Amino acid sequence: MDFYQEKITTIHDFSNDSDMIINHLQELAVSRRSALIIPMLYSEIESPSLANIVYELNKCNFISEIIIALAAANKEEYEEVVRFFKNLNQTHLVVWCDGPGVSKVIEDMKEKDLNISQFKGKGKDVWLAMGIASLDAYAIALHDADILTYSRSFPAKLLYPILNPKLNFLFNKGYYARINKENKVMYGRVFRLFVRPFIEVLQTDVGCKSEVLDYLQAFRYTLAGEFALTSDMALHLRFPADWGLEVGLLAEVYRNSSLKRTCQTDLGFYDHKHKGTGENTSEGLSKMVNDIVLTLLRITNETTSIQISRSFIQGLYVKYIRSAQDLIRQHYADAICNNLVYDRHVEEKYVEVFSDILLKTGNSYLDVDLNIQMPDWKRALSAVPDLREQLKNAALKDLELIRG
């Protein structure tokens, strides 16, 4: 355990008292309401992790509203998820992000030259839910639906630095050790073996001097999907619509905030459902790495004078492999001293996959449509002032479809 501080404030867990924090949050809830967003796929209702999340959330009286941003293929799937969340005693709303009500609102937005119909995936669902959540909440937290190690302290730790008037942070991101303590396995390969060394190579070896890249490196787990922010901040951010959400979101926070109003919080040990590598860049970890490459190259383009070219990508490719291989050696030493299972050959294979994606995606960068950011909510509300109310009413109408 350390007490090191980064460019942003790091809130460690030295002797965290969850009961004290939760009691204080309950007092603060009178004047500072909070909402929690859980983006999820229909398939995740079969996971035991979601049942435990519901159980723990029933202890979180400090949360005023919970919004489930659901990706479901049909009415039957939607209805099943609504039934599942009847076990959640907190005030909640299941938003069917592809449902007829919400889809009609999205279609009507085109009349105001605001077209988001081309966006698909988690980023779009989060954007919709953020709009609804910001209607009544001072602060909004978000986490995924597949966390195996979930407890009520997760949302409490995320929201506390935002809601506590003595702190008044605008944005808080969770970080954790991606270790399965039961199986003694180290996970988090996309972050450990790709994002961290890739950004480092961009900064040092290639010489992309960028305050934004420095900012990204200050986060101990850049890809953490758990964060909290004020509603006002949420309305100013352009959310990436693909797997670059976590990285792109941080770049947006940097543009709209300051270092002293940003923090990260230790959430302890963390485990969730693990994705396969995928057969191509349209699925699994390969899809994630592909989208992250595009996001980081776009950030580099926006914030430096570097010209993206084939020779630039080739240099990144070679230097990334070297940097990732050095990290494998370091993680191996860490694993040995902590009695963890660590297969260097498997780790090297992941680096080979990630480096191939970097080369192919990087070389196609100039030919790719980079319109992957949703408009910020401030722009959306300028075009359609009651858009948030329309979306919430549409979600409620979708509920009426299954309630008869």
Side-chain angles (χ1 to χ4, degrees):
M1 182 176 293
D2 65 77
F3 43 73
Y4 185 76
Q5 289 292 334
E6 315 282 350
K7 285 180 177 292
I8 58 172
T9 300
T10 299
I11 300 174
H12 303 85
D13 188 352
F14 300 135
S15 57
N16 183 272
D17 187 339
S18 293
D19 291 335
M20 180 276 291
I21 288 177
I22 289 171
N23 288 336
H24 193 194
L25 285 172
Q26 288 172 341
E27 296 172 7
L28 293 170
V30 177
S31 57
R32 291 190 164 189
R33 292 169 58 86
S34 63
L36 172 66
I37 294 173
I38 306 177
M40 66 170 287
L41 304 171
Y42 161 74
S43 59
E44 289 175 313
I45 67 168
E46 300 175 357
S47 169
S49 60
L50 189 57
N52 179 60
I53 288 173
V54 170
Y55 174 78
E56 290 293 324
L57 285 177
N58 281 331
K59 306 175 189 176
C60 298
N61 295 328
F62 56 88
I63 299 175
S64 303
E65 182 180 26
I66 298 170
I67 297 175
I68 298 95
L70 173 66
N74 51 56
K75 179 182 174 182
E76 289 71 30
E77 291 183 356
Y78 170 56
E79 187 172 4
E80 190 174 348
V81 172
V82 170
R83 283 199 305 269
F84 178 89
F85 279 100
K86 285 184 178 179
N87 295 319
L88 180 59
N89 300 326
Q90 303 285 81
T91 299
H92 66 278
L93 175 63
V94 179
V95 179
W96 184 9
C97 297
D98 301 305
V102 172
S103 295
K104 184 179 185 308
V105 174
I106 292 174
E107 186 65 25
D108 291 344
M109 289 166 60
K110 294 179 182 178
E111 297 178 6
K112 297 291 185 179
D113 293 325
L114 197 63
N115 186 5
I116 65 168
S117 59
Q118 74 272 28
F119 298 111
K120 306 292 181 184
K122 180 180 177 181
K124 185 203 78 172
D125 296 350
V126 168
W127 186 86
L128 294 170
M130 280 288 177
I132 296 172
S134 65
L135 279 168
D136 300 308
Y138 171 82
I140 304 168
L142 182 144
H143 63 64
D144 292 328
D146 61 350
I147 306 171
L148 296 170
T149 50
Y150 191 82
S151 73
R152 64 176 184 158
S153 67
F154 266 60
K157 284 183 173 183
L158 290 172
L159 286 165
Y160 193 62
I162 311 293
L163 293 171
N164 189 333
K166 292 182 178 180
L167 300 174
N168 264 350
F169 286 102
L170 299 178
F171 181 84
N172 178 29
K173 191 174 182 70
Y175 75 90
Y176 31 67
R178 286 291 313 281
I179 305 289
N180 183 308
K181 296 182 73 175
E182 183 177 336
N183 298 328
K184 294 184 176 296
V185 176
M186 184 187 299
Y187 290 108
R189 290 187 178 97
V190 174
F191 173 69
R192 288 192 294 108
L193 300 180
F194 183 71
V195 173
R196 194 82 185 188
F198 183 50
I199 296 178
E200 184 175 336
V201 166
L202 278 172
Q203 289 177 291
T204 57
D205 291 16
V206 183
C208 299
K209 301 300 181 184
S210 166
E211 292 182 357
V212 178
L213 293 176
D214 289 342
Y215 178 76
L216 294 179
Q217 284 291 68
F219 288 91
R220 296 191 172 194
Y221 203 93
T222 318
L223 295 185
E226 295 71 28
F227 63 86
L229 72 175
T230 64
S231 290
D232 184 65
M233 170 66 78
L235 296 179
H236 285 83
L237 305 181
R238 297 188 66 196
F239 286 80
D242 58 11
W243 280 107
L245 173 63
E246 284 77 14
V247 176
L249 178 64
L250 291 181
E252 282 292 295
V253 171
Y254 179 83
R255 289 181 59 211
N256 290 278
S257 182
S258 64
L259 293 177
K260 64 183 179 182
R261 302 298 298 277
T262 302
C263 68
Q264 59 184 338
T265 297
D266 185 357
L267 298 179
F269 288 96
Y270 177 99
D271 197 13
H272 71 164
K273 179 183 68 179
H274 304 287
K275 296 179 178 67
T277 307
E279 296 295 325
N280 52 57
T281 54
S282 66
E283 59 186 30
L285 297 183
S286 295
K287 166 67 172 169
M288 183 184 297
V289 172
N290 174 82
D291 293 351
I292 291 170
V293 170
L294 293 176
T295 298
L296 285 173
L297 289 179
R298 176 180 56 78
I299 291 171
T300 301
N301 244 358
E302 290 176 349
T303 62
T304 74
S305 58
I306 294 291
Q307 297 295 315
I308 307 297
S309 64
R310 287 188 175 274
S311 60
F312 174 80
I313 296 299
Q314 187 67 37
L316 274 180
Y317 168 76
V318 173
K319 292 167 182 173
Y320 157 71
I321 293 175
R322 184 198 62 199
S323 180
Q325 288 172 341
D326 288 343
L327 278 172
I328 288 174
R329 174 180 53 79
Q330 293 173 321
H331 288 309
Y332 176 71
D334 206 2
I336 290 294
C337 293
N338 283 279
N339 194 30
L340 299 178
V341 177
Y342 191 83
D343 190 326
R344 293 184 68 164
H345 173 61
V346 171
E347 298 272 284
E348 292 275 4
K349 286 169 62 179
Y350 273 99
V351 169
E352 291 171 4
V353 171
F354 297 160
S355 60
D356 285 346
I357 295 169
L358 167 58
L359 188 61
K360 292 174 184 175
T361 303
N363 282 329
S364 64
Y365 170 76
L366 296 177
D367 302 320
V368 174
D369 179 9
L370 291 178
N371 184 25
I372 56 174
Q373 286 183 295
M374 306 286 294
D376 64 64
W377 265 102
K378 284 294 185 182
R379 176 190 171 186
L381 292 175
S382 177
V384 188
D386 65 340
L387 180 57
R388 293 180 295 175
E389 289 85 355
Q390 286 188 40
L391 285 169
K392 185 168 186 177
N393 289 335
L396 292 170
K397 286 182 179 179
D398 283 340
L399 273 176
E400 292 174 6
L401 290 176
I402 62 175
R403 289 174 177 170

